Amino acid sequence: MQEWNKKLDLLIKSRTPLILIRSREEERVEILIKQALKRLPRVRLATWDFIEGLRGVLNSEGLGARQPLAVLQWLQNVDSSMPTILLAKDFHRFTEDTSISRMLKNLSSEFRKKPHTIILCACDWIPSSELDDCLTILELPLPKENEIKTLLNKISTASDSNLSRETLEELTHACSGLTEIRVRQVAARALAQRGKLSKEDISEILEEKQQAIARSEVLEYFKTKASPADIGGLDALKLWLDQRHQAFSDEARDFGLPLPRGVLLIGPQGTGKSLTAKAIAHSWSMPLLRLDVGRLFAGLVGASEAKTRETIQYAESMAPCVLWIDEIDKGFGGDARSDGGTSQRVLANLLTWMSEKSSAVFVVATANGIDRMPGELLRKGRFDEIFLLDLPSHQERFKILDLHIKQRRPNLKIPIETVVSRTQGFSGAELEQTVIEAMHHAFSERRELLETDLILAATQLIPLSKTAKEQLDFLKDWASSGRARPASLKIT
Ligand code: ATP
């Protein structure tokens, strides 16, 4: 928090007239401002809310209750010898009123000469463009692990919980990503139920986080049992992922390795990109959060940025986790002229977060092509690696067909060499489809599946590689110039 405190101090000292602190933690904001004023002793704090009016100012207590304009007029008349910060609670709700927004604009220029500052606190509010120009925005990050630990430790001592160091660490970890109020509520509930904090609270906290994600508009908590053993081929990618998994350990940190950032998987439809995202999460024992990029851009103009912030906070709160950004090319390939630059801004926010993040959120982005992909995403250093998932080779088709047959008919042993040879250009999904079709045929005749069923099913399916040949060749050409690594060990 030290950095954040310094930023706030600087804004106050440099006479910033209007500050918007982006947070839903009003109480914590007030505490942080009070702490700042201990460092800046000449300045006083006044708070205002609609019901109570002004607080903290001798002889003016209660002023401006139910009258937001009156409190601004009061501050306008406060003498320069009394530098004042006004924390105006819920004030963003009144800015639709012309007189309020006019007054705020007037004060924002007047207060460059006077030592007063108005602080608003809101999380999702989208200011009008004129007000936006007058506001200086300061994001308040969620409490850091050491702050949560201090808080839990205090509660534990006060309630004689006798937490071991290990349990305190685990509880702190589970609470990361929660607001301070939420942490207090969780602790209060635990105390009411069991009279102390304990290991048992961890699963409840995790459950609570999942519920919060379920309420989120853009994130989906994805339950999966897929594992790398369900993926036929893609051996180079699997090997690489195995190495990255190891890099999440404390041992890797001690060795000096950075936390893995993420991977971009590009390939035609049905080549196993989604399957890989699911397998990573399951085999790494991390929750999988799927981001619906389409929903990120749905709704009001300006709402996408707020949703992006929320998504990042949720993902960080679930860390270590896998954040799966599906069809990233479709979401961010928008035309700046048609969406007012929203997709560019949201992408910039995501990229900044990805390059600066210190949390164990592994991003798996998937895309079908590169033609609509913003160049920034493909630049080296954004992701740890970019992989091209090509159509499966002969050997890989063998493995995929074998896998899908075994998944459905575990004890069946049939030759599949001919069908493997006849399915060149089929994707993994098309091979799976071939197996299902062949099984339908065999079942309709109430007999065991034969290779001839598979061959027949394969001849009836027109693979995407035939209809989308040009697109595929383009993708391979692009990747072969060294911009993406092949996901398969050998491309034939
Ligand atoms: P899209 O671009 O259309 O989203 P995708 O590349 O994400 O496609 P998946 O959804 O992963 O493709 O694949 C669909 C299904 O095809 C998988 O659930 C799996 O059953 C099968 N499949 C694809 N590739 C493989 C593979 N390499 N090994 C085994 N099964 C595969």
Side-chain angles (χ1 to χ4, degrees), residues 296-297 308 328 332-333 341-353 373-377:
L296 201 59
F297 294 112
T308 311
I328 197 167
F332 293 106
T342 304
S343 56
Q344 258 85 356
R345 279 198 303 277
V346 169
L347 180 64
N349 289 348
L350 263 182
L351 290 175
T352 313
W353 168 69
M373 188 89 94
E376 304 95 291
L377 270 173

Side-chain angles (χ1 to χ4, degrees), residues 213 218-222 248 261-263 277-278 280-281 284 286-293 296 308 310-316 318-326 328 350 353-354 357 359-366 383:
I213 286 169
V218 289
L219 274 182
E220 180 187 357
Y221 187 87
F222 214 95
F248 278 100
R261 264 179 297 191
V263 65
K278 294 175 203 164
I280 296 172
W284 290 6
M286 291 183 187
L288 177 63
L289 307 180
R290 182 173 168 274
L291 172 66
D292 188 327
V293 186
L296 201 59
T308 311
E310 188 184 88
T311 300
I312 290 173
Q313 288 200 344
Y314 277 136
E316 297 210 317
M318 292 300 283
C321 70
V322 174
L323 177 64
W324 170 22
I325 310 182
D326 199 13
I328 197 167
L350 263 182
W353 168 69
M354 274 180 68
K357 78 181 156 70
S359 51
V361 179
F362 188 74
V363 178
V364 180
T366 56
F383 291 92

Side-chain angles (χ1 to χ4, degrees), residues 212-262:
I213 286 169
R215 285 193 296 270
S216 132
E217 273 178 66
V218 289
L219 274 182
E220 180 187 357
Y221 187 87
F222 214 95
K223 291 210 169 110
T224 174
K225 288 210 161 76
S227 83
D230 299 323
I231 306 174
L234 309 183
D235 290 332
L237 172 60
K238 284 195 242 174
L239 201 71
W240 183 89
L241 286 170
D242 195 37
Q243 280 181 355
R244 295 291 144 154
H245 183 204
Q246 296 173 35
F248 278 100
S249 63
D250 289 344
E251 201 185 338
R253 271 322 66 62
D254 293 343
F255 189 67
L257 274 178
L259 266 173
R261 264 179 297 191

Side-chain angles (χ1 to χ4, degrees), residues 230-232 234 268-275 368 400 403-404 428-429 432:
D230 299 323
I231 306 174
L234 309 183
Q269 285 164 22
T271 42
K273 300 180 294 296
S274 313
L275 181 61
N368 284 139
I400 298 171
L403 256 168
H404 283 289
E432 181 184 20

Side-chain angles (χ1 to χ4, degrees), residues 437-458:
E437 273 310 312
M439 283 180 63
H440 273 296
H441 194 233
F443 184 68
S444 69
E445 295 180 1
R446 297 295 187 279
R447 58 169 174 77
E448 191 47 275
L449 175 72
L450 299 169
E451 191 183 21
T452 44
D453 297 315
L454 292 162
I455 297 170
L456 180 70

